[in-house]
């Protein structure tokens, strides 16, 4: 037991245009692209709820209403299915308690840091989680639950990290690691510095930020004055870097599998990997994959 403020709110920045998946994402938000039968954003929301977080804040933009519709009650659908004696199990995960989903708009695409700052009034004065739905994290327990367990021990700010090959570091935020291998499951690393999208030569390690954060509300005040960084965007990584030394800052090495669904190959990999794990389809999918590979 601890007396730390619990993590009850999660911010999902979903305003991005998804240009890498055009034309699929011309009229559909990229977060609604399905991995089998669940849209990407649903995996992130399920992970949040598993970690005990039930207040969902979506930072959206134009053309993103399908995400909000997805988590709304669908009266006609539910009534018709009930009338026909069909199970509602498949839509259960989309049901959010009234009042627990809030949206704010990011009117201009100024970067991830700016998107998070757009949620400041709703986050208020409590620690909160951030989920980048592009990063699909599959674990037991899920990534955020692992992070909340670590948070209960060390408090402060936490980010999830994992190792990538050195030639991939320039696509991510990278940590400068201090003391390693302590805390629950030996998963904690002290964070001494953070760099957004460094060159391979300048990267302080090959440990990248993998799209899950628990942050203290003070980050909003830092973001308020944050100038543009990598790619000319207001970067969350730069704001977090300024908090190191002021508040505890740790990385949690995620025990589980991670798929970067922000690119096409990662998306295909996730689809195949999850299909091969699902009891209802793995045998058929395995046979199909072997057949295709043999051709
Ligand atoms: C963002 C973050 C970066 C992080 C990455 C994870 O980058 O800025 O620090 O490593 O997500 O996917 P983006 O993918 O928006 O360029």
């Amino acid at each position: 037991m601890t007396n730390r403020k619990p993590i009850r709110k999660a911010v999902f920045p979903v305003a991005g245009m998804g240009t890498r998946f055009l034309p699929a994402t011309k009229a559909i938000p990229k977060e609604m692209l399905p991995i089998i039968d669940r849209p990407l954003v649903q995996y992130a929301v399920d992970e949040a709820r598993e970690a005990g977080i039930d207040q969902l804040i979506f930072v959206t933009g134009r053309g993103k209403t399908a995400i909000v519709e997805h988590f709304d009650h669908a009266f006609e659908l539910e009534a018709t299915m009930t009338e026909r004696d069909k199970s509602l199990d498949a839509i259960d995960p989309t049901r959010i308690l009234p009042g627990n989903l809030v949206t704010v708009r990011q009117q201009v695409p100024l970067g991830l840091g700016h998107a998070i700052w757009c949620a400041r009034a709703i986050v208020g004065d409590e620690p909160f989680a951030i989920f980048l739905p592009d990063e699909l994290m599959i674990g037991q327990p899920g990534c955020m639950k692992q992070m909340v367990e670590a948070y209960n021990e060390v408090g402060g700010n936490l980010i999830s990290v994992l190792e990538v090959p050195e030639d991939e570091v320039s696509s991510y935020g990278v940590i400068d690691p201090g003391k390693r291998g302590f805390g629950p499951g030996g998963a904690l690393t002290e964070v001494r510095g953070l760099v957004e999208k460094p060159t391979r030569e300048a990267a302080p390690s090959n440990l990248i930020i993998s799209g899950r954060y628990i942050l203290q509300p003070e980050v909003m005040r830092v973001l308020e004055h944050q100038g543009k960084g990598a790619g000319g965007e207001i970067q969350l990584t730069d704001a977090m870097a300024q908090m190191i030394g002021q508040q505890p800052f740790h990385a949690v090495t995620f025990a589980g599998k991670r798929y970067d669904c922000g690119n096409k190959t990662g998306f295909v990999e996730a689809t195949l990997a999850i299909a091969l794990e699902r009891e209802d389809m793995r045998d058929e999918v395995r046979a199909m994959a072997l057949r295709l590979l043999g051709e």
Side-chain angles (χ1 to χ4, degrees):
M1 286 302 287
T2 68
N3 55 5
R4 298 187 201 291
K5 278 194 185 171
I7 312 297
R8 303 181 308 156
K9 298 180 180 175
V11 179
F12 300 80
V14 292
M17 287 191 287
T19 48
R20 283 196 211 161
F21 285 87
L22 281 169
T25 48
K26 188 177 170 201
I28 295 173
K30 72 170 171 178
E31 296 78 11
M32 290 303 292
L33 296 178
I35 302 281
I36 312 187
D37 50 13
R38 280 203 279 170
L40 208 42
V41 66
Q42 179 83 60
Y43 289 87
V45 165
D46 291 350
E47 188 189 322
R49 294 161 105 193
E50 184 209 8
I53 302 170
D54 55 10
Q55 299 183 23
L56 314 176
I57 305 165
F58 285 87
V59 183
T60 68
R62 283 165 59 80
K64 295 282 180 163
T65 37
I67 301 177
V68 183
E69 293 280 336
H70 177 76
F71 290 106
D72 197 1
H73 283 228
F75 179 76
E76 302 90 330
L77 178 68
E78 292 178 22
T80 312
M81 287 176 77
T82 309
E83 219 170 84
R84 295 182 186 166
D85 274 337
K86 293 209 161 116
S87 154
L88 295 179
D89 288 358
I91 53 171
D92 256 357
T94 66
R95 299 189 210 207
I96 305 290
L97 274 182
N100 272 1
L101 191 155
V102 180
T103 63
V104 284
R105 303 267 282 209
Q106 183 189 21
Q107 291 97 333
V108 276
L110 292 179
L112 177 60
H114 178 257
I116 300 304
W117 181 74
C118 288
R120 67 199 177 282
I122 302 158
V123 165
D125 194 27
E126 51 182 294
F128 63 106
I130 301 173
F131 290 77
L132 309 189
D134 270 4
E135 296 277 355
L136 180 53
M137 312 290 268
I138 305 289
Q140 274 166 347
C143 184
M144 187 51 71
K145 193 159 184 198
Q146 294 179 24
M147 292 177 71
V148 167
E149 276 163 21
Y151 170 80
N152 288 337
E153 297 245 331
V154 290
N157 302 275
L158 289 138
I159 47 182
S160 70
V161 294
L162 44 87
E163 274 185 53
V164 297
E166 270 169 28
D167 57 353
E168 289 178 22
V169 287
S170 59
S171 305
Y172 299 101
V174 180
I175 74 161
D176 178 7
K179 190 177 144 205
R180 296 179 76 162
F182 60 100
L188 283 176
T189 300
E190 234 170 53
V191 179
R192 287 194 309 205
L194 289 161
V195 200
E196 181 68 13
K197 305 204 169 73
T199 58
R200 183 183 171 151
E201 295 69 34
S205 75
N206 65 341
L207 285 169
I208 62 133
I209 308 172
S210 64
R212 299 291 182 275
Y213 311 72
I214 290 178
L215 297 178
Q216 296 299 318
E218 286 77 21
V219 73
M220 295 297 190
R221 303 207 254 292
V222 181
L223 280 168
E224 180 123 25
H225 305 288
Q226 187 62 53
K228 291 181 177 169
E233 298 190 335
I234 297 172
Q235 297 290 354
L236 179 61
T237 304
D238 296 342
M240 293 190 303
Q242 292 194 53
M243 291 169 73
I244 299 170
Q246 318 277 327
Q247 295 185 345
F249 218 114
H250 294 94
V252 180
T253 303
F254 169 55
K257 299 216 174 96
R258 165 261 186 178
Y259 306 98
D260 185 351
C261 294
N263 69 72
K264 292 173 204 174
T265 359
F267 200 91
V268 174
E269 185 191 3
T271 305
L272 196 53
I274 288 174
L276 287 170
E277 264 164 33
R278 270 178 52 159
E279 266 176 40
D280 61 336
M281 56 198 306
R282 67 177 165 220
D283 295 342
E284 264 182 90
V285 172
R286 193 180 152 77
M288 178 203 66
L290 290 170
R291 190 180 70 237
L292 288 174
L293 289 170
E295 274 168 10

